[in-house]
Amino acid sequence: MAGTGVLQCPMDTSGWADALPAATPTPAPWFAPWQPTIVAVRQRLAAGEALHAALDAEGRARGAPVGFVPQQDLPAGQAYEDYIFKSKRVPVRAGLHDFFNGICWLGLPGVKARMNALQAAEIAARGVGATRGPIRDALTVLDENGAFLYAPEPLWDALAARAWSVLFGALRPLWAQTQLLVFGHAALEKLVRPYKSITVHVWRVRSPWSDLRALEAQVVPELLPERLAAKPFAPLPVLGVPLWWPANADPGFYDDPAVFRPARARPASG
């Protein structure tokens, strides 16, 4: 598997851009679906544009539903998601976290806009309190650490049960029939410097997709408050995916209960 590579960006004095994925013919599998968008924004950064300006220019070229502005444009006291929904502008701080958030907005704008609308509706109905509530919690999980997976039924059942020895052992050949997109921008940020325990929260997609637009067409109609409230995610230590990390070719890679945790025992009824 190819390494992530780095982009040398000497005009960026903060140094964060030095860690950006390089434009290689064989990008790391978690970056591969995003590669055209990453490269386009990289080029603008290399030309000297600030991150918010680079994302904004690329968004305008693509007809994105939002623009991108510096973080200081967010009014004091206004909730971030509420500001995006009302202004159609995304505040941006220079750094990897907001870089990948912008990449996801450019790559799956319909998914991000739907999630933002649901966040704003929850804020309008319930305000911003000490707790987000189940719907906003689920949206945050998906936004920060989510992934979309199409998989054959036996593979999904094993994942949902956290039956790791089955998932990555007996069923290992079935991974060739899957599609997995890491969507959470915090997860993508972590994967710039991969480590074994990085875990994504998987949202099941029912059919394979040909490109990001086709994936979006499946996901957007299923982003419903009632489904989100049920938190329909399955945890997946992403470096365990076959062919995504060389070390997992050794079956002993999975003998690590701190990462590949067993399912929680259900309380006894009585």
Side-chain angles (χ1 to χ4, degrees):
M1 186 184 68
T4 57
V6 298
L7 166 65
Q8 297 302 321
C9 218
M11 77 290 180
D12 188 289
T13 56
S14 70
W16 70 268
D18 294 345
L20 287 174
T24 63
T26 54
W30 46 84
F31 291 137
W34 304 107
Q35 183 78 342
T37 309
I38 290 173
V39 169
V41 177
R42 262 181 84 250
Q43 290 172 342
R44 294 182 184 276
L45 291 171
E49 295 183 30
L51 178 56
H52 75 271
L55 292 168
D56 194 60
E58 190 61 28
R60 288 198 307 272
R62 296 168 178 234
V66 294
F68 298 85
V69 296
Q71 178 70 21
Q72 55 265 33
D73 283 17
L74 175 63
Q78 184 171 8
Y80 171 82
E81 294 286 356
D82 183 63
Y83 174 77
I84 294 172
F85 182 73
K86 290 176 179 174
S87 71
K88 305 307 176 192
R89 295 180 177 87
V90 178
V92 174
R93 299 161 295 184
L96 287 172
H97 193 79
D98 284 11
F99 172 86
F100 284 112
N101 187 43
I103 293 299
C104 294
W105 267 106
L106 296 176
L108 286 174
V111 173
K112 293 285 280 188
R114 172 63 176 160
M115 292 169 65
N116 175 245
L118 290 167
Q119 287 270 19
E122 286 294 299
I123 290 169
R126 295 169 178 80
V128 179
T131 59
R132 291 189 179 96
I135 295 171
R136 292 190 67 208
D137 275 347
L139 287 164
T140 300
V141 167
L142 184 58
D143 196 33
E144 296 283 347
N145 288 298
F148 298 116
L149 174 67
Y150 164 73
E153 195 79 28
L155 208 64
W156 179 263
D157 290 345
L159 174 60
R162 303 190 196 186
W164 307 116
S165 62
V166 176
L167 182 68
F168 296 119
L171 297 181
R172 195 174 184 88
L174 284 184
W175 280 95
Q177 301 175 33
T178 68
Q179 287 180 277
L180 176 65
L181 177 83
V182 178
F183 171 73
H185 56 280
L188 290 166
E189 178 187 11
K190 294 171 190 173
L191 284 163
V192 168
R193 298 180 179 90
Y195 53 90
K196 186 175 182 178
S197 62
I198 296 173
T199 298
V200 295
H201 296 269
V202 173
W203 176 283
R204 188 180 190 184
V205 179
R206 298 291 177 176
S207 302
W209 59 87
S210 56
D211 54 29
L212 292 181
R213 297 285 79 76
L215 172 61
E216 191 162 74
Q218 286 196 66
V219 171
V220 170
E222 294 196 349
L223 285 170
L224 300 171
E226 56 271 24
R227 184 174 181 191
L228 286 158
K231 292 190 177 179
F233 304 113
L236 173 64
V238 75
L239 295 188
V241 174
L243 303 180
W244 274 39
W245 195 244
N248 75 37
D250 178 358
F253 180 85
Y254 302 102
D255 296 332
D256 185 349
V259 175
F260 298 94
R261 300 177 181 179
R264 293 177 182 175
R266 294 183 178 180
S269 58

